[in-house]
Amino acid sequence: MPGQRWLLPAMLVGIILGAIGGWYFGPQMVSLAWLGQIFLDALKMLIVPLIITSMITGISQLGDIRKVGRTGGTVLIYYFATTGLAVLLGIILVNIIQPGHVGEWAGGEVPEAVRGKEGMGLVVILRSFISPNIVQSMVNMDILPLIIFSLFFGALLTTIEAQKRDTVISFFDGANQAIMKMVHLIMWLAPIGVFSLIGSRLGEAGGGSGFLTEFSRLGRYSLTVIVGLLIHGGIVLPLILYFFAKRNPFHYFIGMARALSTAFSTASSSATLPVTLDCTELNNRVSRRSSLFVLPIGATINMDGTALYESVAAIFIAQATGHHLGFGEQAIIFVTATLAAVGAAGIPQAGLVTMVIVLRAVGLPLEGIGMILAIDWFLDRCRTTVNVWGDAVGAAVVDHLEPTPLPEGSSPPQC
């Protein structure tokens, strides 16, 4: 949409000014946190209705329900393949750089978010896919059960009488388009929102000096995670985009820039989903059918950045605490980090809680999580950006492999 063209440069200005303000004014910027919270809450307000309407509309637009299996298989293969590659990359880098062998283990406390979850395992992850009370899942923002319900509802909707089916589909399609209009309005708050979110978080860290202290204390660990994210997001995913979707990675990245900057400022794939859908369809001309089906699932189960971070963090904690991990233990980390990342979004405090599964799988102390918390708020933003980028690339890959031709003489609108 032409009126949205100014948003990207304005958001980038907001990020830069927020970083400068948080760096130099530090704690004073914390008083502006409420501005960013309003923006974040406005986006989160749309998550539940957007996921339900987009999933039902997307799967119903696939037509024959048998095509859902083929398209769904393509989506799952892509997600598990890229997540596995991210975990493998993280394991390779942390073994080469060995950040945990620098300095001495300073100890740490078990974070409050993971206290009492020592017995948690992959069974809890699997059970989070189904909810006995779908309304309660909406209230608690448990996204996985909503996706499962919407998938079943939309798929079975295609099997009923045409007249009734079309009426219901038209309702959800209209609701979905109305929600996207709301996204366009909320994005007017984006420059102020990202300025506040970045500035206040830097202020909480103590300003520029506080951030540098945190970063230097865990410098090689942070470097390992960031290098891994840069390689995966800047080399692996663009190569997949080029070879499997036949897209120009640079142009596609520019088209997703507004969504990626939103992901960095909010540190939430789900909160970014409305903007991701908008940019993927309007800027990068991915068919609406593919984006509505792929992106809501990706925002929940495709966590390339999170998976890479968990593998690096687990082995870093092992190195720092003097635990030697052989090939077998690192293979267990590969499997558990991949599966835990898939189920992460269905659990409160997802990144921290799923780390419990990875650490427990190889007998590492949960106190190690406390050691990395100081810098985790910054790395969380970095890995969320890669998560969203991976979702967007997946939408293009599925759209190429399962194409939806545009009506003759038509073309998608541009932002």
Side-chain angles (χ1 to χ4, degrees):
M1 294 178 64
Q4 302 284 316
R5 289 182 184 274
W6 66 274
L7 272 175
L8 177 58
M11 286 174 65
L12 294 177
V13 169
I15 290 175
I16 294 170
L17 291 180
I20 293 173
W23 191 276
Y24 288 104
F25 297 103
Q28 290 91 331
M29 289 293 293
V30 178
S31 61
L32 298 177
W34 63 274
L35 290 171
Q37 197 59 49
I38 289 177
F39 171 63
L40 197 56
D41 288 346
L43 285 176
K44 288 182 176 180
M45 174 181 66
L46 301 179
I47 293 174
V48 169
L50 178 64
I51 283 182
I52 293 175
T53 58
S54 64
M55 288 302 302
I56 292 175
T57 303
I59 199 169
S60 63
Q61 287 184 353
L62 292 175
D64 191 338
I65 195 173
R66 288 171 295 184
K67 293 184 180 179
V68 177
R70 185 170 63 247
T71 305
T74 303
V75 172
L76 290 177
I77 290 172
Y78 169 82
Y79 286 159
F80 274 102
T82 55
T83 301
L85 286 173
V87 174
L88 182 61
L89 176 61
I91 291 174
I92 292 172
L93 286 175
V94 76
N95 277 287
I96 293 174
I97 299 174
Q98 297 195 352
H101 289 161
V102 178
E104 296 182 359
W105 163 248
E109 296 182 359
V110 178
E112 189 63 34
V114 303
R115 198 181 302 278
K117 295 183 172 66
E118 288 84 351
M120 184 177 173
L122 288 175
V123 172
V124 177
I125 292 281
L126 296 175
R127 289 189 62 185
S128 69
F129 280 63
I130 304 294
S131 170
N133 188 333
I134 198 68
V135 176
Q136 186 178 15
S137 295
M138 295 180 190
V139 174
N140 295 334
M141 296 286 285
D142 292 335
I143 304 302
L144 274 175
L146 297 182
I147 286 183
I148 298 298
F149 172 82
S150 301
L151 280 173
F152 273 114
F153 186 90
L156 295 177
L157 187 61
T158 63
T159 66
I160 67 175
E161 182 183 336
Q163 185 176 358
K164 296 178 180 178
R165 176 188 66 217
D166 294 343
T167 301
V168 178
I169 292 175
S170 295
F171 167 78
F172 281 106
D173 186 42
N176 180 260
Q177 293 188 43
I179 291 169
M180 293 308 299
K181 292 286 186 182
M182 294 176 68
V183 173
H184 294 155
L185 291 176
I186 289 173
M187 288 308 294
W188 286 82
L189 298 173
I192 298 174
V194 298
F195 163 78
S196 172
L197 288 168
I198 298 296
S200 62
R201 192 59 191 84
L202 262 175
E204 288 178 15
S209 59
F211 172 75
L212 287 178
T213 300
E214 291 182 357
F215 196 88
S216 61
R217 186 184 300 123
L218 296 167
R220 290 185 66 167
Y221 162 70
S222 303
L223 177 67
T224 305
V225 174
I226 291 173
V227 168
L229 294 175
L230 287 174
I231 293 175
H232 188 74
I235 298 177
V236 176
L237 290 176
L239 286 176
I240 292 173
L241 182 66
Y242 181 79
F243 286 107
F244 291 94
K246 308 302 180 185
R247 298 282 193 125
N248 183 312
F250 178 76
H251 292 162
Y252 198 85
F253 178 85
I254 294 299
M256 294 304 305
R258 184 156 52 92
L260 298 178
S261 59
T262 303
F264 183 82
S265 60
T266 62
S268 171
S269 299
S270 295
T272 308
L273 178 59
V275 190
T276 309
L277 281 164
D278 199 40
C279 291
T280 305
E281 291 180 21
L282 299 181
N283 290 355
N284 286 324
R285 302 194 175 197
V286 172
S287 72
R288 192 159 182 265
R289 187 189 79 163
S290 296
S291 65
L292 290 181
F293 180 69
V294 175
L295 292 177
I297 298 177
T300 307
I301 71 172
N302 185 44
M303 302 287 174
D304 293 359
T306 300
L308 184 147
Y309 142 81
E310 290 188 347
S311 63
V312 171
I315 298 177
F316 167 74
I317 290 170
Q319 293 172 353
T321 55
H323 290 75
H324 174 73
L325 298 180
F327 177 81
E329 289 86 354
Q330 296 196 33
I332 292 174
I333 288 178
F334 173 84
V335 173
T336 53
T338 301
L339 294 178
V342 169
I347 303 170
Q349 300 289 326
L352 295 179
V353 176
T354 52
M355 181 62 69
V356 175
I357 300 173
V358 181
L359 295 181
R360 281 301 180 194
V362 288
L364 294 173
L366 297 187
E367 289 80 8
I369 299 177
M371 183 173 59
I372 63 177
L373 278 182
I375 198 63
D376 192 67
W377 66 270
F378 176 71
L379 298 179
D380 188 23
R381 283 166 161 72
C382 298
R383 64 181 181 255
T384 300
T385 305
V386 173
N387 290 344
V388 171
W389 175 232
D391 295 343
V393 171
V397 170
V398 172
D399 194 46
H400 179 74
L401 298 178
E402 301 285 342
T404 302
L406 289 169
E408 187 175 348
S410 67
S411 62
Q414 300 246 352
C415 279

